[in-house]
Amino acid sequence: MNKIKGCIFDLDGVIVDTAKYHYLAWSSLAKELGIAFNEDDNERLKGVSRMESLNIILSLGNRKMTLEEKELLADKKNKKYVECIDKLKEEEILPGVKEFLQELRNEGIKISLGSASKNSRFILDKLALKNYFDCIIDGNKISKAKPDPEVFLAAVREMELKSEECVVFEDALAGVRAAHNGGMKVIGVGSEENLSEADIVIKGFEGISTDILSKL
Ligand code: BG6
Ligand code: MG
């Protein structure tokens, strides 16, 4: 295969553990609505868009709402979430991520974000990571949810590369499938059990160097 010339990173769960803040904000809303919602339910929201996450929570409580009502609730959840991530600190960048990004830059490999989040720029600002990225493709630029490859194909296009020259780093199965659907290799970040469809699985970036790219 071609040499890897571009790396695309999912944000939540790959660069920073924001899942706990999404959970806090969704639990508070679910409580208000009288819907039981636990950490296992929260697993289903990973990689899923804001509105789709709300739909999952409403279905847990067998509740139906108009689009207008849902938009108000999604806004309310986001306000709570933004309050949490407003306090994000650089120390919350997952171990080894910054070093890995730096190594990619040193080697001239392009870097893009490929995330469903509409808060991605805010988060990258808080973590002082924006300068590492050649492009940022996020929920503000795309409309189709992973496993649709739209987000990653847009990143490939913006980096002016081909799919087969890029690798995606993902913590969610839907994201692994999205990358494969777009013709890219995938390195799963998390447990082998959840991400067995990925080409390689790593637990995290600690101790990982760009040598891993030649193993694909
Ligand atoms: C994904 C998260 O990255 O972004 C999901 O894994 C989240 O949990 C989605 O729902 C949308 O995020 P936001 O910040 O636009 O509400
Ligand atoms: Mg993720």
Side-chain angles (χ1 to χ4, degrees):
M1 76 167 272
N2 287 322
K3 191 177 172 295
I4 295 296
K5 295 182 181 160
C7 287
I8 307 171
F9 291 82
D10 173 48
L11 175 66
D12 298 306
V14 169
I15 289 176
V16 60
D17 178 19
T18 37
K20 58 186 179 218
Y21 301 124
H22 279 297
Y23 179 57
L24 264 173
W26 282 125
S27 339
S28 143
L29 187 80
K31 196 168 169 200
E32 241 176 74
L33 295 169
I35 298 174
F37 176 69
N38 61 30
E39 284 196 58
D40 283 340
D41 301 321
N42 192 53
E43 282 302 305
R44 293 175 56 195
L45 309 188
K46 288 187 179 169
V48 172
S49 73
R50 195 180 306 165
M51 195 45 98
E52 193 43 37
S53 301
L54 177 60
N55 284 333
I56 292 173
I57 291 174
L58 292 176
S59 74
L60 288 171
N62 276 320
R63 299 278 285 275
K64 292 231 158 20
M65 291 197 182
T66 64
L67 183 60
E68 220 173 18
E69 287 169 323
K70 289 202 282 188
E71 273 165 358
L72 285 174
L73 290 177
D75 277 354
K76 194 166 188 182
K77 179 268 171 178
N78 193 52
K79 284 209 178 78
K80 180 99 193 158
Y81 176 63
V82 170
E83 267 173 37
C84 298
I85 58 175
D86 193 40
K87 299 182 203 95
L88 261 186
K89 300 254 174 329
E90 280 181 54
E91 298 82 79
E92 287 180 75
I93 298 171
L94 288 168
V97 168
K98 211 167 169 177
E99 293 78 0
F100 189 74
L101 290 172
Q102 187 58 56
E103 212 186 323
L104 291 174
R105 286 233 75 94
N106 296 347
E107 294 183 19
I109 296 171
K110 286 187 177 168
I111 304 176
S112 176
L113 195 79
S115 162
S117 174
K118 293 184 172 167
N119 293 300
S120 70
R121 283 177 187 269
F122 182 71
I123 293 174
L124 291 180
D125 262 344
K126 288 276 163 194
L127 301 176
L129 285 180
K130 228 188 207 157
N131 288 343
Y132 287 95
F133 289 83
D134 296 291
C135 50
I136 294 174
I137 309 293
D138 66 10
N140 299 299
K141 287 194 177 168
I142 52 120
S143 56
K144 294 187 200 126
K146 300 171 188 175
D148 190 285
E150 184 187 18
V151 64
F152 297 139
L153 289 174
V156 167
R157 220 173 17 249
E158 207 157 311
M159 290 192 288
E160 299 182 341
L161 294 174
K162 297 188 190 104
S163 289
E164 57 270 29
E165 294 171 327
C166 297
V167 60
V168 170
F169 291 86
E170 253 295 345
D171 71 316
L173 184 57
V176 170
R177 291 183 173 157
H180 279 158
N181 288 339
M184 294 135 226
K185 295 278 183 194
V186 195
I187 298 185
V189 185
S191 77
E192 182 79 47
E193 199 186 327
N194 294 338
L195 302 168
S196 57
E197 290 181 25
D199 299 289
I200 298 178
V201 180
I202 57 174
K203 285 197 176 66
F205 287 91
E206 223 169 0
I208 299 290
S209 79
T210 50
D211 290 349
I212 195 160
L213 304 180
S214 58
K215 297 194 181 121
L216 282 164

